[in-house]
Amino acid sequence: MTQKIVRHILDTIAELFPDAHCELRHSNPFELTIAVLLSAQCTDETVNKVTLDLFQKYKTPEDYLAVPLGELEQDIRRIGLFRNKASHIQKLCQLLLDKFDGEIPQKHEQLVELPGVGRKTANVVVSNAFGVPAIAVDTHVERVAKRLGLVGWDDSVLEVEKKLMKKVPKEEWTLTHHRLIFFGRYHCKAQNPMCTVCPLLDICREGKKRMKPGAIRKTITNK
């Protein structure tokens, strides 16, 4: 894929979603880290509903450690895998106090030391909380990148991240991450992508396959 086509993809998605941003509600790096941890295998909408009360009750790492694990589990029970996540949150808070003076570290390699924080979460935190350019690859970013041919079908999440970092200008990494998420969440959906009105249909491998006459008839029949 040429850089000209990559530029066309980025500019087209930017026109569709110029105001793309992190939809997880937070007011500081600590809240963002907790919110991203909770968002694994869960929608941002559900996380925001839970954190509305959660962030009123818990302000600091000490607050999360001051309650029994069972109480924290109940506070986030609407979240998928809430028991594991509650345990991760308390362990994360303890490590913050023991090693980082109760503050979220700004370096990627330190963030991934925290329980429940993987590479994707660390990328979201460094880019949104600390302004460090990063591309966090979630299911939306991976799906869109593969459908549009920005990466290979069989590429791992890490390979997707590395290839996007090479193709997208560094100063656009964070914004591109948000725009790809919006494009995947609201337009190029997993089950019902809006291929018929997509301005990138001419270069989309998945779209071309879906828009073949046989595929169109099948889609109409299934509606």
Side-chain angles (χ1 to χ4, degrees), residues 2 8 13-14 37 45 53 79 89 106 121 123 136 145-146 149 159 169 187 193 221-223:
T2 66
H8 172 63
I13 294 177
L37 187 157
E45 183 181 8
D53 293 326
I79 300 284
I89 288 173
Q106 298 188 24
T121 299
N123 280 341
K146 289 183 176 181
E159 288 171 332
H187 184 88
T221 302
N222 290 337
K223 282 185 177 180

mmCIF file of all heavy atoms in Angstrom, residues 2 8 13-14 37 45 53 79 89 106 121 123 136 145-146 149 159 169 187 193 221-223:
data_model
loop_
_atom_site.group_PDB
_atom_site.id
_atom_site.type_symbol
_atom_site.label_atom_id
_atom_site.label_comp_id
_atom_site.label_asym_id
_atom_site.label_seq_id
_atom_site.Cartn_x
_atom_site.Cartn_y
_atom_site.Cartn_z
ATOM 1 N N THR A 2 0.582 2.164 -0.920
ATOM 2 C CA THR A 2 1.386 3.380 -1.034
ATOM 3 C C THR A 2 1.027 4.383 0.061
ATOM 4 O O THR A 2 -0.061 4.342 0.641
ATOM 5 C CB THR A 2 1.149 4.053 -2.394
ATOM 6 O OG1 THR A 2 -0.207 4.518 -2.467
ATOM 7 C CG2 THR A 2 1.397 3.073 -3.538
ATOM 8 N N HIS A 8 -4.914 9.055 2.004
ATOM 9 C CA HIS A 8 -6.319 9.151 1.597
ATOM 10 C C HIS A 8 -7.228 8.539 2.661
ATOM 11 O O HIS A 8 -8.270 9.116 3.009
ATOM 12 C CB HIS A 8 -6.518 8.438 0.257
ATOM 13 C CG HIS A 8 -7.954 8.312 -0.154
ATOM 14 N ND1 HIS A 8 -8.767 9.397 -0.405
ATOM 15 C CD2 HIS A 8 -8.737 7.205 -0.329
ATOM 16 C CE1 HIS A 8 -9.983 8.977 -0.739
ATOM 17 N NE2 HIS A 8 -9.992 7.659 -0.696
ATOM 18 N N ILE A 13 -11.261 9.343 6.872
ATOM 19 C CA ILE A 13 -11.797 9.040 8.201
ATOM 20 C C ILE A 13 -11.818 10.299 9.066
ATOM 21 O O ILE A 13 -12.737 10.502 9.870
ATOM 22 C CB ILE A 13 -10.979 7.917 8.864
ATOM 23 C CG1 ILE A 13 -11.157 6.602 8.089
ATOM 24 C CG2 ILE A 13 -11.397 7.714 10.326
ATOM 25 C CD1 ILE A 13 -10.343 5.443 8.621
ATOM 26 N N ALA A 14 -10.833 11.166 8.868
ATOM 27 C CA ALA A 14 -10.792 12.434 9.610
ATOM 28 C C ALA A 14 -11.982 13.310 9.246
ATOM 29 O O ALA A 14 -12.545 13.998 10.109
ATOM 30 C CB ALA A 14 -9.492 13.168 9.326
ATOM 31 N N LEU A 37 -8.920 -0.040 32.394
ATOM 32 C CA LEU A 37 -8.861 -1.394 32.957
ATOM 33 C C LEU A 37 -10.259 -2.025 32.958
ATOM 34 O O LEU A 37 -10.432 -3.180 32.575
ATOM 35 C CB LEU A 37 -8.280 -1.339 34.365
ATOM 36 C CG LEU A 37 -7.975 -2.651 35.100
ATOM 37 C CD1 LEU A 37 -6.914 -2.407 36.178
ATOM 38 C CD2 LEU A 37 -9.208 -3.263 35.745
ATOM 39 N N GLU A 45 -19.730 2.759 27.131
ATOM 40 C CA GLU A 45 -20.994 3.258 27.672
ATOM 41 C C GLU A 45 -21.288 2.655 29.041
ATOM 42 O O GLU A 45 -21.665 3.366 29.981
ATOM 43 C CB GLU A 45 -22.136 2.934 26.704
ATOM 44 C CG GLU A 45 -23.488 3.474 27.145
ATOM 45 C CD GLU A 45 -24.607 3.125 26.181
ATOM 46 O OE1 GLU A 45 -24.373 2.339 25.235
ATOM 47 O OE2 GLU A 45 -25.730 3.640 26.368
ATOM 48 N N ASP A 53 -20.636 6.710 39.571
ATOM 49 C CA ASP A 53 -20.712 6.583 41.034
ATOM 50 C C ASP A 53 -19.362 6.170 41.627
ATOM 51 O O ASP A 53 -18.996 6.614 42.716
ATOM 52 C CB ASP A 53 -21.772 5.556 41.424
ATOM 53 C CG ASP A 53 -23.179 6.013 41.069
ATOM 54 O OD1 ASP A 53 -23.441 7.219 41.151
ATOM 55 O OD2 ASP A 53 -24.011 5.160 40.716
ATOM 56 N N ILE A 79 -19.966 -4.645 35.317
ATOM 57 C CA ILE A 79 -18.855 -4.772 34.367
ATOM 58 C C ILE A 79 -18.511 -6.243 34.177
ATOM 59 O O ILE A 79 -18.476 -7.014 35.128
ATOM 60 C CB ILE A 79 -17.605 -4.029 34.897
ATOM 61 C CG1 ILE A 79 -17.891 -2.542 35.091
ATOM 62 C CG2 ILE A 79 -16.409 -4.245 33.992
ATOM 63 C CD1 ILE A 79 -17.933 -1.737 33.830
ATOM 64 N N ILE A 89 -7.656 -4.005 40.448
ATOM 65 C CA ILE A 89 -7.677 -2.599 40.898
ATOM 66 C C ILE A 89 -7.006 -2.454 42.260
ATOM 67 O O ILE A 89 -6.183 -1.555 42.472
ATOM 68 C CB ILE A 89 -9.122 -2.067 40.952
ATOM 69 C CG1 ILE A 89 -9.660 -1.857 39.538
ATOM 70 C CG2 ILE A 89 -9.184 -0.741 41.723
ATOM 71 C CD1 ILE A 89 -11.131 -1.504 39.482
ATOM 72 N N GLN A 106 4.326 7.773 34.269
ATOM 73 C CA GLN A 106 4.153 8.317 32.924
ATOM 74 C C GLN A 106 4.852 7.491 31.850
ATOM 75 O O GLN A 106 4.589 7.678 30.659
ATOM 76 C CB GLN A 106 4.669 9.758 32.869
ATOM 77 C CG GLN A 106 3.916 10.708 33.777
ATOM 78 C CD GLN A 106 4.318 12.163 33.558
ATOM 79 O OE1 GLN A 106 4.801 12.542 32.502
ATOM 80 N NE2 GLN A 106 4.106 12.990 34.574
ATOM 81 N N THR A 121 -3.766 -0.732 27.227
ATOM 82 C CA THR A 121 -4.134 0.197 28.295
ATOM 83 C C THR A 121 -3.038 1.231 28.516
ATOM 84 O O THR A 121 -3.312 2.435 28.653
ATOM 85 C CB THR A 121 -4.398 -0.558 29.608
ATOM 86 O OG1 THR A 121 -5.480 -1.465 29.415
ATOM 87 C CG2 THR A 121 -4.755 0.392 30.732
ATOM 88 N N ASN A 123 -0.863 2.305 26.373
ATOM 89 C CA ASN A 123 -0.858 3.240 25.243
ATOM 90 C C ASN A 123 -1.959 4.287 25.382
ATOM 91 O O ASN A 123 -1.757 5.467 25.086
ATOM 92 C CB ASN A 123 -1.034 2.482 23.920
ATOM 93 C CG ASN A 123 0.254 1.845 23.442
ATOM 94 O OD1 ASN A 123 1.344 2.221 23.867
ATOM 95 N ND2 ASN A 123 0.142 0.866 22.550
ATOM 96 N N ALA A 136 -3.075 2.762 20.356
ATOM 97 C CA ALA A 136 -3.589 1.624 21.114
ATOM 98 C C ALA A 136 -4.496 0.806 20.192
ATOM 99 O O ALA A 136 -5.412 1.348 19.584
ATOM 100 C CB ALA A 136 -4.370 2.102 22.338
ATOM 101 N N ALA A 145 -8.217 -1.636 10.414
ATOM 102 C CA ALA A 145 -6.904 -1.691 9.779
ATOM 103 C C ALA A 145 -6.785 -2.892 8.847
ATOM 104 O O ALA A 145 -6.203 -2.791 7.759
ATOM 105 C CB ALA A 145 -5.809 -1.731 10.847
ATOM 106 N N LYS A 146 -7.350 -4.015 9.251
ATOM 107 C CA LYS A 146 -7.283 -5.223 8.423
ATOM 108 C C LYS A 146 -8.232 -5.138 7.234
ATOM 109 O O LYS A 146 -7.884 -5.537 6.117
ATOM 110 C CB LYS A 146 -7.577 -6.452 9.278
ATOM 111 C CG LYS A 146 -6.448 -6.777 10.246
ATOM 112 C CD LYS A 146 -6.688 -8.045 11.053
ATOM 113 C CE LYS A 146 -5.479 -8.359 11.914
ATOM 114 N NZ LYS A 146 -5.631 -9.599 12.715
ATOM 115 N N GLY A 149 -6.795 -2.933 4.583
ATOM 116 C CA GLY A 149 -5.517 -3.361 4.038
ATOM 117 C C GLY A 149 -4.328 -2.594 4.551
ATOM 118 O O GLY A 149 -3.234 -2.650 3.970
ATOM 119 N N GLU A 159 1.732 -6.642 15.885
ATOM 120 C CA GLU A 159 2.138 -6.363 14.504
ATOM 121 C C GLU A 159 1.288 -5.244 13.905
ATOM 122 O O GLU A 159 1.791 -4.403 13.161
ATOM 123 C CB GLU A 159 2.032 -7.632 13.663
ATOM 124 C CG GLU A 159 3.098 -8.664 13.980
ATOM 125 C CD GLU A 159 2.856 -10.003 13.308
ATOM 126 O OE1 GLU A 159 1.672 -10.347 13.040
ATOM 127 O OE2 GLU A 159 3.845 -10.722 13.057
ATOM 128 N N PRO A 169 2.002 9.213 10.407
ATOM 129 C CA PRO A 169 2.951 10.168 10.998
ATOM 130 C C PRO A 169 2.826 10.182 12.523
ATOM 131 O O PRO A 169 1.716 10.151 13.053
ATOM 132 C CB PRO A 169 2.503 11.502 10.399
ATOM 133 C CG PRO A 169 1.857 11.132 9.098
ATOM 134 C CD PRO A 169 1.148 9.837 9.378
ATOM 135 N N HIS A 187 -19.331 3.192 12.139
ATOM 136 C CA HIS A 187 -19.476 3.071 10.686
ATOM 137 C C HIS A 187 -19.097 1.670 10.188
ATOM 138 O O HIS A 187 -19.936 0.955 9.650
ATOM 139 C CB HIS A 187 -18.604 4.133 9.994
ATOM 140 C CG HIS A 187 -18.742 4.160 8.500
ATOM 141 N ND1 HIS A 187 -19.692 4.916 7.855
ATOM 142 C CD2 HIS A 187 -18.059 3.505 7.527
ATOM 143 C CE1 HIS A 187 -19.585 4.729 6.551
ATOM 144 N NE2 HIS A 187 -18.596 3.879 6.329
ATOM 145 N N PRO A 193 -21.436 -3.506 8.806
ATOM 146 C CA PRO A 193 -20.714 -2.310 8.354
ATOM 147 C C PRO A 193 -21.519 -1.569 7.291
ATOM 148 O O PRO A 193 -22.274 -2.167 6.530
ATOM 149 C CB PRO A 193 -19.422 -2.887 7.771
ATOM 150 C CG PRO A 193 -19.771 -4.293 7.379
ATOM 151 C CD PRO A 193 -20.742 -4.752 8.419
ATOM 152 N N THR A 221 -31.771 -10.665 2.144
ATOM 153 C CA THR A 221 -32.592 -11.782 2.620
ATOM 154 C C THR A 221 -32.576 -11.883 4.118
ATOM 155 O O THR A 221 -33.574 -12.198 4.761
ATOM 156 C CB THR A 221 -32.092 -13.113 2.007
ATOM 157 O OG1 THR A 221 -32.137 -13.007 0.593
ATOM 158 C CG2 THR A 221 -32.977 -14.269 2.455
ATOM 159 N N ASN A 222 -31.413 -11.605 4.717
ATOM 160 C CA ASN A 222 -31.250 -11.754 6.162
ATOM 161 C C ASN A 222 -31.822 -10.591 6.957
ATOM 162 O O ASN A 222 -31.919 -10.644 8.178
ATOM 163 C CB ASN A 222 -29.774 -11.922 6.520
ATOM 164 C CG ASN A 222 -29.227 -13.250 6.059
ATOM 165 O OD1 ASN A 222 -29.993 -14.202 5.863
ATOM 166 N ND2 ASN A 222 -27.915 -13.347 5.843
ATOM 167 N N LYS A 223 -32.222 -9.519 6.274
ATOM 168 C CA LYS A 223 -32.745 -8.350 7.006
ATOM 169 C C LYS A 223 -34.153 -8.616 7.516
ATOM 170 O O LYS A 223 -34.915 -9.342 6.920
ATOM 171 C CB LYS A 223 -32.744 -7.122 6.088
ATOM 172 C CG LYS A 223 -31.343 -6.516 5.955
ATOM 173 C CD LYS A 223 -31.408 -5.240 5.157
ATOM 174 C CE LYS A 223 -30.044 -4.596 5.078
ATOM 175 N NZ LYS A 223 -30.074 -3.347 4.305
#
